[in-house]
Amino acid sequence: MQSDKNDKKYWHNRTSQQAISEFDSSQKKGLTEEEAGARLKKYGKNELIEQRRRGIGRMLWEQITATMVLILIIAAIVSMFLQHWLEAISIIAIVVLFAILGFIQEYRAEKAMAALKKMAKPLVRVIRSGNLSEISSTDIVPGDLVVVENGNIIPADCRLLESHNLKVQEAALTGESEAVLKQTDKLDKEDIPLGDRLNMIYMGTIVTQGRGIALVTDTGMNTELGSIATLLQDVKSDQTPLQKRLDNVGKILAIAGGIIAFLIALFGVLSGESIGDMFLVAISVAVAIVPEGLPAVVTVTLAIGARRMLARNALIRKLPAVETLGSVTDICSDKTGTLTQNKMTVTFLATADEIIPLEYLEQSDTSGKGGDKNLLIQSILLSGALCNDATLSNGNEEDESEVIGDPTETAIVVAARKFGLDKRELEKAFPRLNENPFDSDRKRMTTFHDFPVSSDKYPLKIFNHNEDTRPEKISFTKGSFDGLLELSSHVIRNNQMVPVTEEIKDDLSQKNREFASKGIRVLGVAYRTYGKDPDPEEAEHDLILLGLIGMIDPPREEVKLAVEKCKQAGIRPIMITGDHPLTASYIARKLNISQNENYITGIELAKLSEKELRKKVEEVSVYARVSPEHKLRIVKVLQQNGHVVAMTGDGVNDAPALKQADIGVAMGITGTDVSKEASDMVLRDDNFATIVAAVEEGRVIYDNIRKFVKFSIAGNLGKVLVMIFVPLITMINFGSGLEAITIPLLPLQLLWLNLLTDGLLGVGLGVEPAETFTMRRPPIPPKSNIFSEGVGGQILRTGILIGMISIVIGIYAWSNQDVHWQTMMFSGIAFAQMWQALATRSFKDSIFKTGLFSNIPIVILILLVFALQISAIYVPFLQVFLTTDPLTLTELLLCIAISSIVLIESEIEKALIH
């Protein structure tokens, strides 16, 4: 009976009678209503069951328990305890904003199952007790007989009993772009990919042609679609590289802040200071060391990056994905529509004389006057266009999208039109009289036409080799080349009809094999003329073979450049597709994804142990005939090997792998709702090149976030040094008799500096354009921390310099009994960080190379911060709020001039190192 999820039966490996017998059903009458009711109780509704998902409360809880956020919450609680209400309210506002934005992104990400459940068609026709009736698709059970026809969505997994030219579009499950012609015969092998199970049809796929009757074998969560739903629910979301790195930063800062604050408080108490004063100093240090603006600046920077990506056709669904793109080491891409055009295209013609490539077809004289070669090309394309059921709509004749029908047939019609042969005009000149339709046994079709009286437009002399008489009728046959060759008695060579010899057979067969080795689909084209009305049953004999038509879904032109850009950036492109291995390998070589014929099929992959696969994924870049489980396994193994993986997909089958990947990339045009809901990013143009553009933007965003972290922590380090060393230096007193400074900077002043300089200037750094080396360096290693590649050293040097500058300014004023000493230290740090913002704009390039005005926002923000800091010094209500004093012009200019050393030092360092 119905297969258990963990023990799938191979229904394709049984005859139709065996399957019917196992389900205790009848091929003529189906199940009785009573039996169907009993089975519905046993197996349940034919629907996808959604497992319990994270609730709103849990999602909110996860947002506020990130390390950085917890530090801010603790700081807010302590501020409230000390009745520093302004600091507390400011910090809480940042936490709330951060949590709300993160929650919105997470909530949207949990909708994938809802989209998956919508795929089932509400009504289906079944045969029960010998009667045809229409019932809800949720009520069908294993053993039911369902009737399917063109346009139906398959309601469950079924074994075909009858098939009449039935074609099913299975791209959502297998990734294959072309509809599959179905059959009813038993298949010999058990373990074969879904795409090769020609006697099976699957839930959620679409009938594009013909009709059939099928036996329901699996329903609900036991279907292939149900297996995907289970996989999708089982995938656990991991932190992004950015989240991991920011959490690490938070932990480092929390530990450092706690230790430093405790030591300062302990030292002060042992030195005779009051516990209350030193507790306030400790809190001040904690406030100084935590970059309160970091979560908000990161969120704003990611949002700006997402908007920039949207302008490049990449829609970001989850903000952290913007940064994660910058760390991507591998891009796993589906073939159809992403690497290729998702449009079958004629690429070669072959005759008994030669192989004619697409380039010649596109550049040739399409008037038909280009010589004997053009006459033969015209005859092949004319025959293929007439023996063809694709139609041209009444729209723009130049628009290829107006060709409607089977992808293979539309490709021939489009190629013929490029060569000056419009199908509508051809059908007027060669009216169709009759046809032998295509079927899976013959693997060909034949159409019968009147032969034109005369025409200068068409190559009639190819079809009429007897100048004394004109044929009355003509038939064109198109189909499997091997079968057509056996039915042909003659072939066109040098525009002459000659008998088919063994030499000619071998030559044409070799050309057919050459096409097939490149994954190119091959059709043969032949004709036959008649002096009277032909007998359709006798028409497919003694044919005259014209040649072969080779076609493939060709690579997108821009993808090869994108692949090359990937490799320059240290990113490996990987093709994972449900398509045929030869086709996948050929496209991969054309795009330079792979330079050899190495590939792994789904069956081979399933036999590999975890250890073997972990080794193989480092060597192989092409995977073909893979199932959803295989895609998910490949992504997991790559991640286990330390890679940051981007995975593209458009079908339901891709959803689990999309959700598992560090970056799930769905197709905006051809993608299903399920794949879009499971993804982090949606491509509006379904183009691989757009992914590479998004990776570049991601690297820019990650670089900018690192610049901000470097900027923020260096500034905070300077503040902490002030809080530590100013009290120590003034305690020593040097015999001056002056009262020691216990609290150099007040908590509110520190919060002002953190939010003003870190917040506003951080946003300016967040919109810094790409540096020259962005896509000419390898990705940041996933395990590296945010302080790698010299950033930690730069933070220490800059932080110590800012601290020294502020200490010198403050101690100088204090030792001269200048009551403005605290305001001068406060302003010295603010001005130093403005200069620091200019210095931090590039890791390697001088400000003179990047250009002062290449980032207008940061220039504006520096001027704004300068104006606000001046206001803090001279505007009365801000003086009260921040406890500042108005500086003299000399004091102000001294603070600005000495703080500029930060920029000068940075420029010297860049000149010496880079």
Side-chain angles (χ1 to χ4, degrees), residues 510-579:
Q510 174 59 33
K511 289 172 181 173
N512 181 39
R513 286 193 294 271
E514 186 178 331
F515 280 145
S517 69
K518 296 177 179 178
I520 296 174
R521 180 165 188 187
V522 180
L523 292 176
V525 180
Y527 75 96
R528 184 175 173 181
T529 56
Y530 311 87
K532 59 179 183 179
D533 289 342
D535 180 355
E537 294 185 5
E538 298 296 325
E540 294 177 352
H541 298 282
D542 294 323
L543 299 174
I544 302 165
L545 186 65
L546 287 165
L548 291 71
I549 300 176
M551 64 192 77
I552 199 168
D553 180 8
R556 287 177 178 260
E557 293 179 4
E558 64 275 22
V559 168
K560 190 167 186 177
L561 288 174
V563 168
E564 189 60 34
K565 198 170 186 179
C566 272
K567 292 189 172 183
Q568 287 178 357
I571 300 167
R572 182 168 64 128
I574 299 172
M575 181 192 294
I576 305 179
T577 179
D579 218 336

Side-chain angles (χ1 to χ4, degrees), residues 771-773 842-847 849-850 907 910 914:
E771 299 200 47
T772 53
F773 56 87
S842 173
F843 288 113
K844 296 181 180 179
D845 296 334
S846 162
I847 187 68
K849 183 175 180 180
T850 58
E907 289 294 294
K910 289 174 184 176
H914 305 294

Side-chain angles (χ1 to χ4, degrees), residues 159-226:
R159 170 66 164 87
L160 277 169
L161 306 179
E162 294 182 22
S163 176
H164 303 279
N165 294 325
L166 183 69
K167 282 190 172 184
V168 180
Q169 173 59 265
E170 297 180 332
L173 277 177
T174 66
E176 286 201 54
S177 57
E178 194 172 348
V180 179
L181 182 68
K182 294 296 182 176
Q183 65 176 49
T184 59
D185 297 339
K186 170 189 172 184
L187 301 177
D188 293 332
K189 293 183 179 179
E190 282 193 354
D191 191 8
I192 60 175
L194 291 183
D196 293 335
R197 298 179 188 180
L198 302 180
N199 56 12
M200 297 291 295
I201 53 178
Y202 294 100
M203 185 183 197
T205 58
I206 302 168
V207 178
T208 61
Q209 178 180 308
R211 56 190 174 83
I213 298 176
L215 174 75
V216 176
T217 57
D218 294 284
T219 58
M221 295 300 285
N222 281 311
T223 62
E224 294 296 335
L225 197 64

Side-chain angles (χ1 to χ4, degrees), residues 48-65:
L48 302 179
I49 301 169
E50 185 173 357
Q51 293 179 358
R52 188 170 180 266
R53 294 187 283 161
R54 291 185 301 168
I56 291 174
R58 183 182 169 189
M59 282 189 276
L60 279 171
W61 176 255
E62 289 174 357
Q63 298 302 316
I64 62 174
T65 51

Side-chain angles (χ1 to χ4, degrees), residues 9 61 80 223 294 342 419 490 540 544 557 561 617 628 806:
K9 290 187 178 180
W61 176 255
M80 286 188 286
T223 62
L294 181 58
N342 197 20
F419 214 76
H490 292 77
E540 294 177 352
I544 302 165
E557 293 179 4
L561 288 174
V617 294
S806 302

Side-chain angles (χ1 to χ4, degrees), residues 544-791:
I544 302 165
L545 186 65
L546 287 165
L548 291 71
I549 300 176
M551 64 192 77
I552 199 168
D553 180 8
R556 287 177 178 260
E557 293 179 4
E558 64 275 22
V559 168
K560 190 167 186 177
L561 288 174
V563 168
E564 189 60 34
K565 198 170 186 179
C566 272
K567 292 189 172 183
Q568 287 178 357
I571 300 167
R572 182 168 64 128
I574 299 172
M575 181 192 294
I576 305 179
T577 179
D579 218 336
H580 194 281
L582 290 176
T583 306
S585 180
Y586 173 72
I587 295 294
R589 293 197 305 275
K590 288 283 284 184
L591 293 173
N592 203 26
I593 290 174
S594 172
Q595 286 304 302
N596 53 53
E597 297 185 8
N598 289 345
Y599 59 79
I600 294 179
T601 65
I603 292 175
E604 293 168 343
L605 189 148
K607 295 176 182 176
L608 294 174
S609 68
E610 205 70 13
K611 184 178 179 181
E612 290 171 329
L613 184 56
R614 289 189 69 168
K615 183 180 178 182
K616 280 287 185 184
V617 294
E618 301 297 332
E619 303 168 355
V620 177
S621 297
V622 180
Y623 300 84
R625 281 287 192 256
V626 293
S627 68
E629 292 89 347
H630 297 147
K631 291 185 178 185
L632 185 59
R633 190 181 175 202
I634 292 167
V635 171
K636 283 182 176 178
V637 168
L638 283 168
Q639 290 173 326
Q640 288 167 10
N641 283 2
H643 296 274
V644 177
V645 183
M647 170 74 193
T648 76
D650 56 3
V652 179
N653 63 329
D654 297 319
L658 288 174
K659 195 170 182 183
Q660 174 67 41
D662 299 283
I663 292 289
V665 184
M667 303 297 108
I669 299 173
T670 59
T672 59
D673 286 346
V674 182
S675 63
K676 291 174 187 175
E677 290 294 339
S679 69
D680 303 283
M681 181 174 83
V682 179
L683 302 183
R684 297 202 301 175
D685 59 357
D686 290 10
N687 195 335
F688 181 86
T690 302
I691 307 172
V692 181
V695 167
E696 183 174 5
E697 287 289 351
R699 288 193 174 193
V700 172
I701 295 302
Y702 179 59
D703 283 349
N704 290 348
I705 289 173
R706 289 181 78 217
K707 289 171 187 176
F708 171 72
V709 170
K710 171 186 167 184
F711 169 80
S712 176
I713 296 179
N716 288 359
L717 175 60
K719 296 161 200 167
V720 170
L721 292 177
V722 168
M723 299 299 295
I724 293 173
F725 287 103
V726 168
L728 288 176
I729 293 170
T730 57
M731 277 180 194
I732 295 172
N733 214 344
F734 297 110
S736 64
L738 296 173
E739 184 180 349
I741 298 171
T742 307
I743 305 174
L745 294 171
L746 301 173
L748 202 55
Q749 290 174 338
L750 290 167
L751 192 62
W752 169 273
L753 289 171
N754 278 14
L755 295 182
L756 187 72
T757 57
D758 289 8
L760 291 177
L761 296 180
V763 171
L765 289 171
V767 295
E768 191 67 35
E771 299 200 47
T772 53
F773 56 87
T774 299
M775 288 299 281
R776 293 203 298 269
R777 62 168 170 78
I780 300 294
K783 293 184 180 179
S784 70
N785 62 51
I786 212 156
F787 303 112
S788 62
E789 297 187 332
V791 170

Side-chain angles (χ1 to χ4, degrees), residues 368-443:
K369 300 175 182 178
D372 290 345
K373 182 187 288 188
N374 278 9
L375 287 175
L376 187 51
I377 291 170
Q378 275 196 316
S379 67
I380 294 172
L381 294 174
L382 179 149
S383 303
L386 284 169
C387 186
N388 194 310
D389 288 331
T391 58
L392 289 164
S393 70
N394 293 323
N396 179 3
E397 293 186 11
E398 298 302 319
D399 186 353
E400 293 181 15
S401 66
E402 299 298 327
V403 185
I404 301 166
D406 180 87
T408 300
E409 297 203 316
T410 59
I412 296 171
V413 171
V414 169
R417 188 166 55 184
K418 285 181 177 178
F419 214 76
L421 300 169
D422 187 277
K423 189 172 191 289
R424 287 167 291 198
E425 296 299 321
L426 287 173
E427 288 174 335
K428 292 176 184 176
F430 296 81
R432 186 185 291 196
L433 306 173
N434 201 352
E435 65 182 274
N436 285 341
F438 180 90
D439 66 51
S440 57
D441 294 327
R442 292 164 40 249
K443 295 184 179 178

